[in-house]
Amino acid sequence: MRRPQRTDVLTPAETPAETRAGMRGRTRAGLSRIARAAREARRPRLRPDYPRSAHAGFRRWLPSWRQILAVLIWGVAGVSALSMYAYAKTDIPEHLNAFATQQDNVYYWSDGSELARSGWVNRQEVPLAKVPAHVRSAVLAAENANFYSDHGISASGMARAVLRMASGGDTQGGSTITQQYVKNAYLSQDQTTRRKFEELLLAVKIDNRLDKDRILEGYLNTSWFGRGTYGIQRAAQAYYGKEVGELDVSEAAFLASLLKGASLYDPAISAKTHERAVERWSWILDRMVTTGTLTPSKRAALTVFPEPKSPPRPATASGQPGYLASLAKTYLQKAGHISDAEFDLGGYGIHTTFDKARTTALAKSVRAVHDGFDPDGRKSDRHARTGAASVAPGGAILALYGGPDFLTQGFNESNAVTVPAGSAFTPFVYAAALRDGVQHERGAPRVPVSPATVYDGDDDLAVLTPEGPYWDRNGKVVKGRNDGGRSWGSLSLRDAMVHSVNTPLTQLGMDTGLERVSRAAQDAGFLASSLGPRVPALSLGNSTPSAIRMADAYGTFAAGGVHTEPYSVARVSRGGDPVRLEAPRRNRAFSARVGAQVTDALAGALREEGPAAAKGLEPGTAGKIGTTQDHTAGWFAGYTEREATAVVVYRMDLKDLKPLPLTGLGGDPDADVTYPARIWSDYLTSVASLRR
């Protein structure tokens, strides 16, 4: 028989003992692993299997495709949830920001015509209905052709913005018109990721809530166009001197180019910006053809670049309007309790009291005198200055001369308080005595005086107090001096006023009381801060009123003794609503009788001492020359029943405010008398001709 063939399988009897033990161990280990796997399967997993336990080495740190997909899904879900939450929590602000509502301030002459504009922003809002279709089309072609079909944001634009942010660039680029309007009207101009995200959310929300036309209107009224202008209306005026409704297609295309960056495309800046502007203008016209808002034939006819006019100079930065507007602003802020911040928001329509014809006439009269000065040829003509003002008896400032040009000299010479009044102050000494009487002895009753009261008019008289002579700090008796050393003998107070005799008027001030003289001057309109020390020189004009205050104080006599604080703004509005102003303070300074007595004396002074100035003027005109003892200033102040006018001519270097003598100015040894009287007379003659 054949023997059975042997196999490789060992029978239990043939299996070695150690091999059987290993098999039992392996069996137990396998069962243990199965049990652990079963327990793990039943136990909830608290974290993903990462690093992956089934792999060793660097493969443990490589996520599986399932893990990658899960992260993407959860990421998208998280961002979506966060965006939805942020969108829900984002509210459209109830009010536009201050920047979006800021406008310029407009000043008007008393006749309602425009005087000047000022402010940080040159804006004038215009309804969309007044913006021609071709202007809107040019803007849309340049900035956002899909404006009427998008949802406030652009996916491609967002992608570009994200790439720019990721690469470290700014967040501009890719913004729709809605986004730009949101930035202009509600947000800051900061270029940050947070601001961009807020812009996107608001753009979507506003697009859902507002009509597209309203958004476009707001955008056109808040966008920057350069040359100090915001809004399409002011841009049309700044670049072409037109209303927006008068723009043609070519001009509209150029203005639309400015939205990309006004400083980059204003052709007046440089040759480079001019070249860039022409390229952008041409591209926008081509885009209008592409968008179907301009026919190819009409486009082909537009080959000449519409050159804008030269940049306008701000109206308040040149000539007299600058001085007028500056003075009106100061008055408005005080009388209307308007802060600088409120005023800078703009939108105020300021109707001033300034008369255009009078202002022109006053400036012409001053220039006629200054044209005769030769600062290069005569040292005595250097630093010659003139301040002048005309004020109605009721306080309204009708005209002023502030200086040669506000653009080159902001210092307003009509409002300067650096020049002594000189003998132009004596009418207030006279008025104080007529009102309050005099006192010759301490404790004695006050004695009334009249224009006929007689005083000593001799030269070199000791100035007396109720206790005796007045001594100065050097221990010397103060004495009065008349011009030219002339002694007049005994004369009435009226005659002392007519002939401007110093010694009786100096003594009259002492007898009345220097405090009472100061009070009378303040009642008439002088500022307390401008009044000089209470010494005998007070009566001869050591005070330093401005030309405005001098004219206003003389106007108190023209008004029969009633003083009204000078004011330069008659009324003001903002957004069509009136702004409340405090009424100018009024007070009775003197009785009508005292006012008439002063007027009578000053009318005599004009006839006797200033016949050249009085020539051709209406009857009843009153006025007086004012000189200082050191001849550093010359005044002429006077009035009619309609207005009071004061003119001061002086020499002063504004670097050190040191007064210089007027003697020899214009080659005239009596310049302090001649020139103020000439300006005053020429001006009043011009005003009289305006009424004919």
Side-chain angles (χ1 to χ4, degrees), residues 138-332:
V139 170
L140 294 177
E143 294 294 305
N144 189 181
N146 299 321
F147 169 70
Y148 279 97
S149 60
D150 65 31
H151 296 290
I153 59 176
S154 166
S156 59
M158 288 176 59
R160 289 195 301 271
V162 170
L163 289 175
R164 291 176 69 87
M165 286 187 286
S167 63
D170 60 46
T171 60
Q172 290 180 320
S175 295
T176 63
I177 280 178
T178 305
Q179 288 174 252
Q180 293 180 60
Y181 171 62
V182 165
K183 180 180 67 174
N184 292 343
Y186 297 108
L187 304 177
S188 70
Q189 303 299 306
D190 296 336
Q191 303 300 325
T192 63
T193 302
R194 178 177 180 180
R195 206 275 298 151
K196 189 70 176 181
F197 183 64
E198 189 176 4
E199 174 190 304
L200 294 172
L201 295 176
L202 274 175
V204 174
K205 182 158 282 192
I206 284 177
D207 187 79
N208 289 332
R209 186 172 299 182
L210 298 183
D211 180 80
K212 285 284 190 179
D213 283 348
R214 284 189 60 190
I215 296 173
L216 181 59
E217 178 182 293
Y219 171 71
L220 291 174
N221 282 318
T222 58
S223 293
W224 166 251
F225 284 88
R227 297 192 177 182
T229 62
Y230 285 82
I232 191 70
Q233 169 74 352
R234 293 298 292 157
Q237 296 168 343
Y239 287 91
Y240 292 108
K242 298 180 177 181
E243 301 294 307
V244 65
E246 300 171 340
L247 294 172
D248 60 32
V249 174
S250 187
E251 294 164 341
F254 166 70
L255 292 183
S257 71
L258 297 171
L259 294 166
K260 190 74 172 177
S263 61
L264 298 176
Y265 297 98
D266 186 343
I269 295 177
S270 67
K272 186 64 176 178
T273 58
H274 188 282
E275 178 183 352
R276 196 181 291 130
V278 174
E279 292 176 357
R280 180 77 176 166
W281 162 78
S282 180
W283 178 85
I284 291 174
L285 291 175
D286 291 339
R287 281 284 296 165
M288 293 178 71
V289 174
T290 302
T291 58
T293 55
L294 183 65
T295 64
S297 60
K298 289 183 178 180
R299 168 63 184 97
L302 300 175
T303 58
V304 179
F305 179 68
E307 295 287 352
K309 65 180 185 177
S310 299
R313 291 172 63 183
T316 57
S318 62
Q320 296 306 304
Y323 300 108
L324 303 178
S326 178
L327 189 72
K329 174 188 173 182
T330 301
Y331 178 81
L332 169 62

Side-chain angles (χ1 to χ4, degrees), residues 430 434 438 440 447-458 461 488-497 501 503-505 507-508 511:
Y430 185 50
L434 293 173
V438 297
H440 297 291
V447 178
V449 296
S450 72
T453 300
V454 175
Y455 265 67
D456 191 343
D458 284 345
L461 287 178
W488 292 78
S490 297
L491 76 171
S492 69
L493 289 178
R494 180 187 181 279
D495 287 343
M497 279 297 305
V501 184
T503 54
L505 293 173
Q507 187 59 52
L508 182 64
D511 293 345

Side-chain angles (χ1 to χ4, degrees), residues 327-328 331-332 335 351-354 390-400 548-549 552 563-571 581-586:
L327 189 72
Y331 178 81
L332 169 62
H351 295 263
T352 72
T353 60
F354 303 124
S390 186
V391 181
I397 303 175
L398 303 176
L400 62 82
I548 293 174
R549 284 287 173 173
D552 178 61
H563 170 253
T564 304
E565 280 290 296
Y567 63 97
S568 55
V569 178
R571 58 188 176 87
L581 299 177
E582 287 186 359
R585 183 172 56 85
R586 293 169 61 90

Side-chain angles (χ1 to χ4, degrees), residues 104-110 112 116 118 325 327-339 342-353 567-584:
D104 55 350
N105 299 307
V106 185
Y107 299 84
Y108 300 95
W109 294 101
S110 58
S118 71
L327 189 72
K329 174 188 173 182
T330 301
Y331 178 81
L332 169 62
Q333 289 190 264
K334 182 179 179 181
H337 301 285
I338 299 170
S339 67
E342 291 174 315
F343 189 81
D344 285 344
L345 289 178
Y348 291 95
I350 305 160
H351 295 263
T352 72
T353 60
Y567 63 97
S568 55
V569 178
R571 58 188 176 87
V572 62
S573 63
R574 189 169 193 267
D577 298 323
V579 175
R580 183 181 177 277
L581 299 177
E582 287 186 359

Side-chain angles (χ1 to χ4, degrees), residues 403-426:
D405 191 332
F406 186 74
L407 185 64
T408 58
Q409 179 192 294
F411 178 74
N412 187 343
E413 292 167 358
S414 73
N415 205 29
V417 288
T418 54
V419 184
S423 55
F425 184 82
T426 55

